Amino acid sequence: MQPYEQRFPWNLDWNLLRTFMIVVDQKGLTRAADYLGVTQPTISSALKRLERTVGVSLVDRRPGNFALTESGQILYQECNAMFGAVSQIPGLLNKAQRHVSGHINMVMTSHVVSRHLDHVLHEFNSQNPDVTYSIAIAESSEVLNRVRQNRATLGICLMRDPDPLLSAVPLYREQFALYCGPHHRLFGKTQIKLSELQGENSVSFQTEVESGPLILLGQLRERALLNPVIKGVSANLPEVRRMIVAGIGVGALPVHVATRDVDAGLLWPLPPYTGLPVADIHFVTNPRRSMNPAERVLVAAIENLIETTPIAERTYP
């Protein structure tokens, strides 16, 4: 048989402790009965049951007097402590519900530059410091594959055609312009005529060459009368930039991405200066993915950004 101390928590009717607290707080059985809406004998019976359970007298029952015994004072203090602990339970549960943890696996095309996305990530990470992240860079077609195959939480990439298996909306819109590097004969020159670019070698993105999402850049090269044979291609934006800076050919880059290199004297903008092509960078998720709490909260935050911020504000520059 278990010792008395071990059996006690299981034998105790915890409701009796609540009744005892009210008796003490109301300074008498009659007031406690009125407070609880029951009869005085019901309160007296509950107090006696509690005393039998704990094995000691809790209240001095002399006529016209209400006072706790030393044991009663100790039990009342413990009841207050337990009541305080129980009172904290809703707050603790709410805090646990609000606590977000988990890993987020993002895959995106090279050189995604969006101040709106960066702001969402900053706010999300500040509010959820236990979340961990991984970011992979891949061609847009591979980004879509990984999200489709449920290998990533979300994707950010170019898209030419809708994918029936994925949810995709424009995260931001970027504008493309032609640039040359510091070794080019037109570098630093102002008032450049479009005709001065005729026959120039050019470099471009793999997604233009393969009639992908950036096929619109072909129209830009045609307007500038560039050499129709592309001299260099890459699926990676930094490598397209590298070829432009190295003088392999002129090429198109997102204007808001190239601005820093223009200011640093590494790139120079070329005509045409108006009617420039734009491309949508999509935020892509898999509706069939079972997301962890961190994934759900971040995806919801990005979706809220898209819903509440007009596309005009998410168009760079």
Side-chain angles (χ1 to χ4, degrees):
M1 180 178 294
Q2 291 179 325
Y4 168 76
E5 290 80 3
Q6 294 183 14
R7 298 196 311 271
F8 177 77
W10 303 100
N11 295 336
L12 175 66
D13 182 348
W14 292 70
N15 286 321
L16 298 179
L17 298 179
R18 183 173 65 92
T19 300
F20 174 65
M21 276 193 63
I22 294 173
V23 169
V24 177
D25 290 339
Q26 296 297 317
K27 296 181 173 57
L29 275 65
T30 301
R31 290 182 180 178
D34 292 340
Y35 181 86
L36 293 174
V38 297
T39 63
Q40 191 269 346
T42 299
I43 298 297
S44 179
S45 174
L47 182 58
K48 290 177 182 178
R49 286 175 55 204
L50 179 60
E51 288 179 325
R52 285 197 300 270
T53 301
V54 298
V56 295
S57 176
L58 301 173
V59 177
D60 184 349
R61 288 178 171 79
R62 287 176 295 176
N65 179 65
F66 178 83
L68 293 177
T69 64
E70 183 177 354
S71 296
Q73 291 175 349
I74 292 174
L75 181 60
Y76 179 69
Q77 292 173 357
E78 293 302 316
C79 286
N80 268 316
M82 286 187 284
F83 182 80
V86 171
S87 298
Q88 291 180 335
I89 289 177
L92 294 172
L93 294 179
N94 287 335
K95 182 179 179 181
Q97 189 174 21
R98 293 193 303 269
H99 179 77
V100 175
S101 62
H103 186 76
I104 295 175
N105 181 4
M106 294 178 277
V107 57
M108 59 185 70
T109 189
S110 68
H111 231 68
V112 168
V113 178
S114 167
R115 63 179 182 272
H116 291 90
L117 175 63
D118 291 346
H119 177 72
V120 170
L121 290 175
H122 167 72
E123 291 294 320
F124 174 81
N125 186 67
S126 297
Q127 296 167 10
N128 306 288
D130 292 335
V131 174
T132 57
Y133 310 84
S134 61
I135 300 178
I137 303 299
E139 296 182 31
S140 290
S141 59
E142 178 61 17
V143 172
L144 296 174
N145 281 336
R146 293 193 191 185
V147 178
R148 194 184 299 114
Q149 295 167 6
N150 221 8
R151 293 161 55 197
T153 305
L154 60 91
I156 300 175
C157 65
L158 293 156
M159 291 183 71
R160 184 175 181 184
D161 301 307
D163 189 318
L165 299 179
L166 300 176
S167 172
V169 289
L171 175 62
Y172 67 94
R173 182 170 291 162
E174 58 187 12
Q175 190 177 54
F176 283 80
L178 287 174
Y179 296 89
C180 68
H183 306 293
H184 196 276
R185 58 184 176 82
L186 297 177
F187 188 89
K189 185 177 178 180
T190 59
Q191 299 180 340
I192 303 171
K193 297 178 181 179
L194 193 59
S195 59
E196 296 182 67
L197 291 176
Q198 186 172 355
E200 284 285 334
N201 288 326
S202 64
V203 298
S204 192
F205 292 88
Q206 195 75 36
T207 46
E208 179 205 340
V209 177
E210 298 175 350
S211 299
L214 288 182
I215 193 172
L216 51 88
L217 298 185
Q219 301 168 0
L220 182 62
R221 293 190 305 104
E222 290 175 3
R223 285 178 61 190
L225 302 175
L226 302 178
N227 187 335
V229 178
I230 299 177
K231 191 172 178 65
V233 295
S234 177
N236 190 286
L237 187 149
E239 299 312 315
V240 173
R241 169 196 171 276
R242 185 193 305 276
M243 289 188 286
I244 298 172
V245 173
I248 294 175
V250 303
L253 293 172
V255 175
H256 73 296
V257 175
T259 298
R260 181 176 298 179
D261 281 333
V262 172
D263 294 339
L266 295 174
L267 293 174
W268 188 257
L270 300 172
Y273 303 114
T274 60
L276 298 174
V278 295
D280 287 339
I281 307 299
H282 288 81
F283 169 63
V284 185
T285 55
N286 188 335
R288 298 176 307 284
R289 181 180 179 85
S290 297
M291 295 189 176
N292 64 42
E295 293 175 321
R296 287 197 300 269
V297 174
L298 178 59
V299 167
I302 297 176
E303 290 175 341
N304 181 67
L305 159 70
I306 294 171
E307 292 173 2
T308 59
T309 308
I311 188 62
E313 293 184 25
R314 292 181 280 119
T315 298
Y316 309 133

